[in-house]
Amino acid sequence: MAKSAKLEQSQTPAQLEEFYRQMVFIRRFEDKCNFAYRQGKVGGYMHVYIGMEATAVGWNAALRPGYDYVITAYRDHAQPLIMGSDPVKVMAEVMGRSGGYSHGKGGSMHIYDIERGFYGGWGIVGGHVAMGAGLAFAAKYRGEDRVAVCYLGDGASNAGVFFEALNMASLWDLPVIFVIENNEFAMGTRLEYHASDTHLYKRGEPFGIQSERVDGMDIFTVLDDAKRIVEWVRKNQRPYLVEVMNYRFAGHGAADNDRQLYRTKDEEEENMKRDPIARLRKYLIDKKIATDEKLEAIEEELREKVEKIYEEADASPFPEPEEVYSHVYTDMEPEKGH
C-alpha cells in the first residue's frame, strides 16, 4: 500500500486541487445531510460517506465519464456528486422532495442518475451486486468496452448473492470490478465478529478472480490502484475483486449516535490521523502547491456552495399525494373512497 511517488509527480497542481475540492465538497455535503437529519427534514434512514472520500474520488477519476457504469449500496451520495449529478437534486432526494432524482420517493438510499452512468443507490444489503454483474454483462453483450464498478460494504460481502455474482462474473468473463469498501464495521459489528476470514479480498480467489487488498485513505494510492485495475479489466474483459481499506468517521447511519457502543474514542482518534482530506491538505502545503490561506478559501467557498444547495432543496416542494403510484413498479391500483 505504499504511496506512488511516480503518480504524485504525474499530477498537475490543478488536478490535485480538483481532488481536494471534490473530497471537501463531499464532506461538507454529508455534514449538511447530517444537519438536515437532525432537523427532522430527512425521512427514513441515511448513511454518510465521511472519512471515505478518497475512495470515491480516486475510483471515479479512473473511469470514463458518462461511459462506464457505477452502482453502489445505500451509502450513495458521494458517487453521483463527483460524477456530475446535480447536487441540488441529490440533496432534494435526500430530503424527500419532488425535485429529487427519484422524485422524492427513494430518499437518501436511492439516488439514481442513469445519464451519468450511475445506477443507484440500493437499500437491500448485497442485493445490488448481481445488478453490477448484469451491467457488465450488458456491456459485453453489446460488444462495448465499458467496465462496471460495483461498490459494496464489508457486511454485504457475506451475502449469498455476492458469491453467486462472483461465480457468474468469472464464468462469463464479465468486465466488473467488485469494490468492497471495508470500513471495519457492518453497522456496529466489528469485522472479526461477522467474517470468518477477515481477508475479504480472498473471496474472489476460489472463482479464479484476480483479487487484492488496497488502501482507501490516501488519494494517490487509490488513484494509482484504480487506474491500474480499471485498465486491466477493460483490456482483459475479466472481473476483479478489490478490498479497499477504509474507516468511516461517522456512525453507520445518521441515527447511530452512540458509536462508543462498538468502538472507542481512542480508536477513532487514531484512525482520524489517516483522514484523506487532511493528508492531501498537508501534501499540498508541504510541496508548496497551495498555501494554507488558499485552501481555507476553497473550504469556505464550498461551505457556502453547500449551504445554497441545502437552502434550494429545502425550499422545494414535497411530492403531491396523487403521485404516490407514479414512477414506481407496482401492479396495485390506487385505493378509492378515502
Side-chain angles (χ1 to χ4, degrees):
M1 297 183 186
K3 187 184 296 184
S4 169
K6 183 179 179 182
L7 182 70
E8 286 181 17
Q9 295 164 3
S10 70
Q11 304 301 306
T12 67
Q15 288 171 324
L16 293 173
E17 181 179 313
E18 179 59 21
F19 293 149
Y20 188 75
R21 282 179 171 275
Q22 289 180 350
M23 288 198 288
V24 172
F25 179 60
I26 292 170
R27 186 162 299 185
R28 293 289 175 272
F29 189 94
E30 297 291 56
D31 284 341
K32 204 64 186 178
C33 287
N34 264 333
F35 172 81
Y37 188 91
R38 303 281 178 258
Q39 297 297 306
K41 295 187 175 184
V42 176
Y45 215 39
M46 188 183 77
H47 311 78
V48 295
Y49 210 73
I50 296 172
M52 302 164 63
E53 296 89 350
T55 297
V57 170
W59 277 87
N60 182 68
L63 299 175
R64 294 180 184 172
Y67 185 69
D68 293 324
Y69 298 130
V70 173
I71 189 168
T72 187
Y74 41 74
R75 202 178 303 279
D76 65 340
H77 307 167
Q79 284 83 9
L81 288 177
I82 56 173
M83 291 174 73
S85 299
D86 183 339
V88 176
K89 293 182 69 172
V90 176
M91 183 66 83
E93 189 57 49
V94 171
M95 299 175 75
R97 307 307 172 95
S98 62
Y101 272 105
S102 298
H103 304 280
K105 300 186 181 77
S108 167
M109 297 196 288
H110 301 287
I111 313 296
Y112 195 87
D113 186 359
I114 193 172
E115 290 183 12
R116 290 166 182 79
F118 183 64
Y119 282 75
W122 297 85
I124 303 300
V125 175
H128 69 292
V129 179
M131 288 186 278
L135 290 169
F137 180 89
K140 191 178 186 75
Y141 185 78
R142 292 193 293 258
E144 302 165 343
D145 66 345
R146 301 175 198 255
V147 301
V149 174
C150 178
Y151 295 94
L152 64 148
D154 46 291
S157 69
N158 296 324
V161 65
F162 176 57
F163 295 91
E164 294 180 58
L166 291 175
N167 178 53
M168 289 188 288
S170 183
L171 181 67
W172 295 337
D173 295 320
L174 302 183
V176 56
I177 305 168
F178 299 104
V179 178
I180 299 175
E181 296 178 300
N182 183 355
N183 60 31
E184 301 190 24
F185 302 96
M187 297 185 72
T189 305
R190 192 179 289 276
L191 179 63
E192 55 266 34
Y193 294 134
H194 72 74
S196 58
D197 185 347
T198 57
H199 298 85
L200 302 181
Y201 70 95
K202 292 183 178 178
R203 297 183 179 190
E205 293 177 352
F207 300 95
I209 295 177
Q210 191 153 330
S211 310
E212 62 181 290
R213 173 182 276 179
V214 300
D215 184 12
M217 302 294 278
D218 180 279
I219 186 63
F220 293 110
T221 53
V222 173
L223 184 59
D224 195 19
D225 292 328
K227 282 185 172 180
R228 170 176 53 82
I229 293 168
V230 167
E231 288 173 6
W232 188 92
V233 170
R234 202 184 304 280
K235 176 182 177 182
N236 294 283
Q237 292 291 293
R238 283 283 298 163
Y240 212 105
L241 174 59
V242 188
E243 180 186 9
V244 181
M245 303 307 292
N246 280 313
Y247 192 87
R248 57 172 159 80
F249 296 161
H252 168 71
D256 180 4
N257 288 319
D258 191 1
R259 302 193 297 273
Q260 307 312 310
L261 290 171
Y262 58 88
R263 63 191 192 191
T264 67
K265 286 186 177 180
D266 289 343
E267 177 189 316
E268 286 188 347
E269 290 173 1
E270 185 63 28
N271 277 285
M272 284 180 181
K273 294 176 183 176
R274 303 161 59 209
D275 184 339
I277 295 177
R279 291 171 73 172
L280 180 56
R281 195 182 202 285
K282 183 177 185 303
Y283 178 87
L284 294 174
I285 292 174
D286 288 349
K287 298 294 182 181
K288 303 188 184 307
I289 296 171
T291 63
D292 192 54
E293 291 74 17
K294 181 177 183 180
L295 297 180
E296 286 182 2
I298 290 173
E299 292 157 14
E300 180 60 18
E301 172 197 328
L302 294 174
R303 188 194 67 74
E304 292 177 359
K305 178 180 177 180
V306 169
E307 189 63 31
K308 290 178 181 176
I309 290 167
Y310 170 76
E311 290 175 358
E312 187 173 343
D314 192 30
S316 62
F318 289 100
E320 295 295 333
E322 56 267 27
E323 295 176 8
V324 68
Y325 289 102
S326 61
H327 305 110
V328 294
Y329 290 105
T330 178
D331 56 1
M332 294 174 61
E333 291 293 329
E335 291 188 23
K336 298 178 180 178
H338 295 283

